[in-house]
Amino acid sequence: MTQQAISRFWEWGRKILCVGRNYREHCLELKNPLPKQPLIFTKPTSAYLKEGNSIVIPKGCEEVHHEVELGIVIGKPGTKVTENNAMEHVAGYVLALDMTARDWQSVAKSKGWPWTMAKGFDTSCPIGNFIPKEDLKDPHNLDIWLKVNGLEKQKGNTSDMIFNIPFLISFISQHISLESGDLILTGTPEGVGPVHANDVIDCGLGGDFTMSFNVTKD
Ligand code: MG
């Protein structure tokens, strides 16, 4: 795996695995119980969106929420990875948004349906530039924040994750093999909320890494 290839992982990576409810205060704000084990769901890779393109609120959706998250980019395949060896499989990181059709998700939850449409619609996974592992000394102590139209909405720190990165890699890889180019989204801190057409979302990670997206409506 060359550095050049991994730095464009979104063009060829085969899956996006997401962790729900990985920050205590976010669990509480959505009135969800604290998880005893990681809640894992997926997004299709067609959901990727790079800067310069707009997040599109899907037709028929009344409430799209922002969720700013630290993403882990896998650089070495692994099955049944141990926590001790987990970080060897990390190539780097990415600042990401887990855009969520909250009204669709609420219906799905009430019916016991999967969250696929609520979490996987086109443009639901905006990402920043690839951050090589060497450029982030401690992924478990990073400020992560999000503003809508200049107003702060989310401000957390990755030290507040309930399940840390080695645990998540080990947990997932017991049953889903990790492949190079896979992305794992590690959950969002509190402060999620709706965005509307013409809003501008700015977010940042660890002081050095930021990204910005406009919102439009289908
Ligand atoms: Mg999320």
Side-chain angles (χ1 to χ4, degrees):
M1 185 55 49
T2 67
Q3 190 73 5
Q4 192 187 7
I6 201 71
S7 71
R8 300 185 71 80
F9 68 92
W10 65 89
E11 292 179 343
W12 53 271
R14 283 155 50 100
K15 55 192 180 288
I16 305 171
L17 297 151
C18 309
V19 184
R21 303 176 191 168
N22 201 23
Y23 286 77
R24 184 174 181 278
E25 298 303 321
H26 171 61
C27 287
L28 299 179
E29 73 179 347
L30 293 185
K31 300 185 169 47
N32 287 313
L34 296 183
K36 294 195 169 56
Q37 65 175 43
L39 185 170
I40 306 297
F41 62 94
T42 68
K43 286 178 187 276
T45 53
S46 46
Y48 276 133
L49 185 75
K50 290 296 290 173
E51 267 187 297
N53 300 290
S54 295
I55 296 165
V56 181
I57 297 173
K59 197 162 282 185
C61 173
E62 299 295 330
E63 195 175 359
V64 166
H65 277 197
H66 55 76
E67 298 189 358
V68 65
E69 311 203 359
L70 169 67
I72 304 162
V73 181
I74 298 298
K76 177 182 153 187
T79 302
K80 298 190 192 307
V81 176
T82 64
E83 282 184 69
N84 277 344
N85 295 332
M87 295 309 285
E88 293 172 15
H89 296 264
V90 176
Y93 304 93
V94 72
L95 179 57
L97 287 168
D98 168 18
M99 299 305 295
T100 303
R102 195 70 76 198
D103 53 340
W104 292 358
Q105 187 193 29
S106 296
V107 170
K109 278 168 146 182
S110 72
K111 293 178 183 292
W113 291 350
W115 300 353
T116 312
M117 297 300 275
K119 290 288 196 177
F121 60 88
D122 289 351
T123 77
S124 65
C125 193
I127 54 170
N129 292 327
F130 175 74
I131 305 167
K133 183 158 76 170
E134 306 74 53
D135 292 356
L136 271 190
K137 288 290 173 276
D138 184 4
H140 295 106
N141 185 18
L142 296 169
D143 287 332
I144 185 164
W145 55 267
L146 178 142
K147 295 177 181 177
V148 178
N149 302 329
L151 292 176
E152 187 176 283
K153 299 291 184 181
Q154 294 190 264
K155 186 170 174 54
N157 189 283
T158 57
S159 61
D160 290 327
M161 284 196 271
I162 296 171
F163 303 107
N164 70 14
I165 296 168
F167 187 90
L168 292 171
I169 289 173
S170 179
F171 180 86
I172 292 168
S173 70
Q174 298 307 306
H175 303 294
I176 298 177
S177 289
L178 295 173
E179 302 162 281
S180 295
D182 286 352
L183 177 66
I184 301 173
L185 298 188
T186 57
T188 196
E190 72 270 26
V192 302
V195 293
H196 305 97
N198 303 314
D199 283 351
V200 177
I201 300 175
D202 290 292
C203 47
L205 179 73
D208 292 330
F209 307 99
T210 61
M211 64 179 188
S212 182
F213 287 91
N214 297 322
V215 180
T216 62
K217 207 169 168 34
D218 186 13

